[in-house]
Each structure stands twice: as structure tokens, then as C-alpha cells.
Amino acid sequence: MTQTDVAVSAKPKRGRIKCVVWDLDNTLWDGTLLEDGAVRVRPEVVEEIKRLDALGVLHSVASRNDHDAAMARLKAEGLDEYFLYPQINWNPKSQSVERIAKELNIGLDAVAFVDDQPFELEEVAHALPAVKTVDSAQIAEELASEEFRPRFVTDESRVRRDLYRAAVVRDQAEVDYTGTNEAFLSTLDMVFTISRARREDLQRAEELTVRTNQLNSTGRTYSYDELDALRTSPDHLLLVASLTDKYGGYGKIGLALVERGQPAWHLRMMLMSCRVMARGVGTVLLNHVMRLAKADGARLRADFVETGRNRVMYVTYAFAGFSEIVRDDNRLVLESGLEQIQPPPAYLKVVVE
């Protein structure tokens, strides 16, 4: 793979929306809950919510309403389980949308906000210009656009909401825990599994390159076909990582692409899903690659491209002992002599398949 191969591709527009945030009154249902009492849920909206949920698109709520009354109505309709971190209060909608994105740990450019009121749409657009705003009268057309259609629907896509709901339980357990963070992590019984990519992993692998921003070393996206060719290349090693704990699985959360050679191996891509940032596993896959390179008698170089959102990955490399050897504007090559490689944290079991 040549140096030009590490050029950053712009994140594709297709499938960029990860969460749709819904207003309630005169959007999800006809009528105003606190004024009309009885409101009628719009079946066409429910159909869209379920359709997008099956594609792996998440949902939440930003509504100026009485929290308990609105949640009771959603529960009565069997819809409450579809909405993650619902914000039902009297705050500006932009604050609610921003809070949802923060709780989900996704960028604002991955959020769409649906409302029937021009004022609310304009308030969110002004305060959060990266958010896609959608008039509720236009949902049939807007939600059918390519921004809401991922290229692949993976096994992980189908259960993404369940993964996040499990995360809510974990987060609450962490809030309730009175010891140190490391002590809490030791209660989770986490298992981090690293394996060579198989064909059945490639749809999720492509999805990871598209959806991961903060912990992505180059920001480049790779297609299924590119990854398949690299998976079978004798000069490359394509690794995938997954994580489980006592609350369930996180799914496939990491990807590494290495070009093997002498005197140095070259790490062309390293990424980790943002949803495991708080689990203290950010360096585990990197350290595994470092051990493999050292066992081969090589040094390890790594491509890094500053994207404006991946500073955390640069810090990860620095923490692992990498330093800059080449810089060309926002493109860097880092290198480690592999003198010191960190062991996995004591609270984590690492399985290499």
C-alpha cells in the first residue's frame, strides 16, 4: 500500500445519521398532550421509527412537555423502549439535542431533529448548525434519503438499540458504585477478543470506518471490497476486536490494518468505537500489534492524519510511546522502537483467536 493510499476520504453522506431526535406534540402524535389529554399516535411516524431502528439508526426525544405524562403515553403505546436518553423538559430543544448526542457519544453531525414548529427547527439549526433539521411534514421524503440509509445492515445494526440500552444499565451501575473507577471496571468481567478479520466481519468493519471519528487514526473510510482484498493479502494483517462484559456484548469495536515488512511494520489504520472510551481498553489492540511487530524483529510505524476530531487517538499513540518521524501538514508518520509495551489492565481478560 502506497503513501497515497492513506489519503483521507471525506466521510460519505450515505448513512451518516446515527440518531433521530423526535418532538412529540403534533409530530409523533396528533394533538398537544397537556391540553388535549387524549392524543393519537401517528402510525406513519411509528412505521418510520421501526424501519430505521431495524437499520441500526437510534432514536430519542426532545420535547417541551411534562416528563412523567409523556413517558406514560409512550409506554402505553409500546414506544418507550425505542427512545434512548429522552429529554422531556422545558429547556430549549437545542440543549436537549446536545445532551442526547453527548450521552450517546456521537457527533452532532450524526443527529437529525424532527419537529413541526419552524421556531424550534430554527432554534436548533442556529445553535447546532451541524444537526440536520427535518420538518415533520416532510419525514416521508427526508427520512428516505441516503443520509438515513447505511450501505450495510449488519447483525450489530439490528441490535444496536439493545447495545445502547445495556450501556444505560452499565452507566447507572457506575454512578451507583462508590469505589474507584478501576475497582468498578474490575466488577464488569470484561473480555477483549482479538482475531483476524473473516469475510463475515467485513460489513461491520466497513461500518466502523464510516461511523468512527474520535478514535480513528486517519479518518479514512474503507469499502467492503478494499477490506476483503487486504484481508487476503499476504503483506497485510487485518484485525478485529470485540468486547463483552457481564451485562452483554458491545459488539465489534476495534479494527487495525497493518502492512508487514522490514525494518518496520506499518500501521495503516487503527480505530476503536467511541462507546468503549470509558472502559479503559483504548490501547489493548494497539499493544497487541506492537507485540506482533516486536516478535518479528521489526519497529512499528503508524499513519496519523489530523481530522479535527481524532486528537484522542494521537494521545493514545503518544501514551504508547510513539513519536513523530515525518510531518507533512496534517499527515504524520509516528514510530515506536517497541522498547516498552504496556500489559493489558488487570481488570481485563484478553483472548487472541
Side-chain angles (χ1 to χ4, degrees):
M1 188 176 292
T2 65
Q3 182 66 27
T4 56
D5 287 328
V6 301
V8 179
S9 303
K11 289 288 183 181
K13 185 178 181 181
R14 179 168 181 176
R16 75 176 179 92
I17 299 299
K18 300 178 183 179
C19 179
V20 181
V21 179
W22 297 85
D23 173 44
L24 295 178
D25 292 337
N26 295 305
T27 298
L28 178 60
W29 52 56
D30 289 319
T32 303
L33 183 64
L34 295 183
E35 294 179 4
D36 303 327
V39 293
R40 185 186 71 87
V41 170
R42 294 175 172 175
E44 67 275 16
V45 174
V46 173
E47 183 178 344
E48 286 296 314
I49 289 171
K50 293 181 176 180
R51 180 184 67 82
L52 292 173
D53 176 74
L55 298 179
V57 178
L58 305 173
H59 297 278
S60 190
V61 168
S63 173
R64 295 176 188 269
N65 236 309
D66 178 87
H67 179 274
D68 292 345
M71 289 304 299
R73 186 70 182 121
L74 290 170
K75 187 171 184 177
E77 295 290 341
L79 295 175
D80 59 310
E81 65 182 29
Y82 285 93
F83 299 113
L84 300 166
Y85 304 105
Q87 301 297 303
I88 303 172
N89 48 52
W90 303 104
N91 297 333
K93 295 286 183 75
S94 60
Q95 289 185 14
S96 294
V97 171
E98 190 169 29
R99 174 70 182 273
I100 292 164
K102 182 178 180 180
E103 293 287 357
L104 292 173
N105 200 13
I106 61 176
L108 290 168
D109 60 345
V111 178
F113 170 65
V114 184
D115 203 295
D116 66 301
Q117 294 293 319
F119 168 80
E120 302 289 9
L121 294 169
E122 291 171 8
E123 190 270 331
V124 170
H126 176 74
L128 308 172
V131 172
K132 179 179 178 65
T133 53
V134 177
D135 188 319
S136 63
Q138 305 294 324
I139 62 169
E141 176 183 352
E142 291 281 359
L143 271 58
S145 70
E146 65 176 4
E147 292 172 283
F148 296 84
R149 282 187 286 116
R151 182 180 174 195
F152 294 117
V153 180
T154 65
D155 290 341
E156 185 154 327
S157 301
R158 298 183 183 94
V159 298
R160 180 164 290 126
R161 171 165 51 94
D162 293 332
L163 296 177
Y164 274 90
R165 289 178 69 85
V168 173
V169 177
R170 288 188 193 95
D171 292 345
Q172 188 57 53
E174 186 171 10
V175 169
D176 295 340
Y177 192 79
T178 57
T180 65
N181 180 62
E182 186 166 335
F184 169 72
L185 293 175
S186 69
T187 70
L188 294 180
D189 301 328
M190 290 189 291
V191 178
F192 190 99
T193 302
I194 303 169
S195 61
R196 284 174 174 260
R198 300 164 297 178
R199 187 180 298 274
E200 54 265 38
D201 297 324
L202 298 184
Q203 291 184 359
R204 171 56 178 162
E206 179 187 285
E207 184 181 51
L208 275 170
T209 73
V210 173
R211 295 172 65 92
T212 306
N213 295 298
Q214 296 179 61
L215 289 173
N216 187 329
S217 61
T218 67
R220 179 184 168 174
T221 62
Y222 286 80
S223 71
Y224 178 99
D225 291 336
E226 287 177 307
L227 291 168
D228 196 28
L230 291 163
R231 179 183 67 87
T232 57
S233 165
D235 299 325
H236 293 83
L237 183 63
L238 183 62
L239 300 173
V240 294
S242 59
L243 183 67
T244 62
D245 67 16
K246 68 180 182 180
Y247 294 103
Y250 295 73
K252 294 181 177 65
I253 46 80
L255 198 62
L257 172 63
V258 190
E259 183 177 358
R260 291 178 288 203
Q262 291 293 342
W265 285 23
H266 207 126
L267 190 51
R268 297 298 185 181
M269 171 185 58
M270 170 68 66
L271 61 83
M272 294 289 291
S273 172
C274 300
R275 66 171 179 259
V276 299
M277 286 178 67
R279 294 295 167 250
V281 300
T283 62
V284 175
L285 182 57
L286 174 59
N287 290 331
H288 175 69
V289 173
M290 292 171 71
R291 290 188 192 94
L292 293 177
K294 185 173 184 177
D296 196 43
R299 299 172 70 83
L300 183 61
R301 294 172 183 160
D303 290 324
F304 181 81
V305 180
E306 296 170 342
T307 66
R309 301 181 63 179
N310 62 351
R311 177 69 182 174
V312 175
M313 181 56 82
Y314 182 86
V315 173
T316 298
Y317 276 131
F319 183 69
F322 284 76
S323 57
E324 294 182 21
I325 60 171
V326 176
R327 174 181 280 270
D328 180 11
D329 194 20
N330 66 333
R331 303 169 189 275
L332 290 72
V333 177
L334 312 174
E335 184 175 274
S336 169
L338 307 177
E339 289 83 7
Q340 290 187 329
I341 303 175
Q342 303 156 19
Y347 51 76
L348 183 71
K349 178 181 179 181
V350 177
V351 176
V352 179
E353 295 180 344

